[in-house]
């Protein structure tokens, strides 16, 4: 499913216009991004949790030359699915 298909589903199921569905989805995505960027978690019970993590700086190798390169530390994004989501995917009740 891509974004236009998701917007169509939201609009149909919530009985709202596609434009309204797009505004809602945009606000939700922006809010999750801003919150996780600050280092806070976004927990949606039954769906999952979005959180940030850190990957330490390390030394890697250029696969073509074998030369060592420094790979800087970065923030990562993690998503842990909730129990209801896992159960739905695995068809458990």
């Amino acid at each position: 499913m891509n974004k236009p298909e998701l917007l169509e589903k939201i609009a149909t199921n919530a009985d709202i216009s596609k434009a309204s569905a797009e505004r809602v989805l945009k606000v939700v995505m922006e809010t999750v991004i801003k919150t996780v960027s600050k280092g806070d978690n976004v927990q949606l019970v039954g769906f999952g949790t979005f959180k940030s993590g850190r990957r330490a700086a390390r030394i890697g190798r250029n696969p073509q030359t074998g030369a060592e390169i420094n790979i800087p530390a970065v923030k990562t994004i993690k998503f842990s699915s909730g129990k209801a989501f896992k159960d739905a995917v695995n068809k458990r009740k």
Side-chain angles (χ1 to χ4, degrees):
M1 177 179 283
N2 58 29
K3 188 175 178 180
E5 293 169 341
L6 178 61
L7 291 172
E8 176 68 34
K9 252 326 182 190
I10 292 170
T12 301
N13 291 344
D15 196 26
I16 58 175
S17 69
K18 286 184 189 178
S20 294
E22 187 168 11
R23 285 193 305 272
V24 169
L25 183 60
K26 181 180 177 185
V27 169
V28 169
M29 289 173 37
E30 287 174 353
T31 303
V32 169
I33 290 168
K34 286 178 185 176
T35 303
V36 173
S37 294
K38 290 190 306 184
D40 296 331
N41 296 343
V42 175
Q43 184 177 14
L44 304 170
V45 176
F47 182 73
T49 303
F50 296 90
K51 53 188 161 186
S52 65
R54 297 218 20 98
R55 184 175 299 139
R58 62 194 191 280
I59 296 185
R61 292 210 176 266
N62 181 327
Q64 292 180 338
T65 65
E68 286 188 351
I69 55 173
N70 291 321
I71 301 171
V74 294
K75 286 184 177 179
T76 60
I77 300 97
K78 299 178 182 181
F79 175 76
S80 301
S81 56
K83 184 178 182 326
F85 191 179
K86 288 179 191 174
D87 290 348
V89 170
N90 291 304
K91 308 265 190 273
R92 288 185 242 156
K93 293 184 180 186

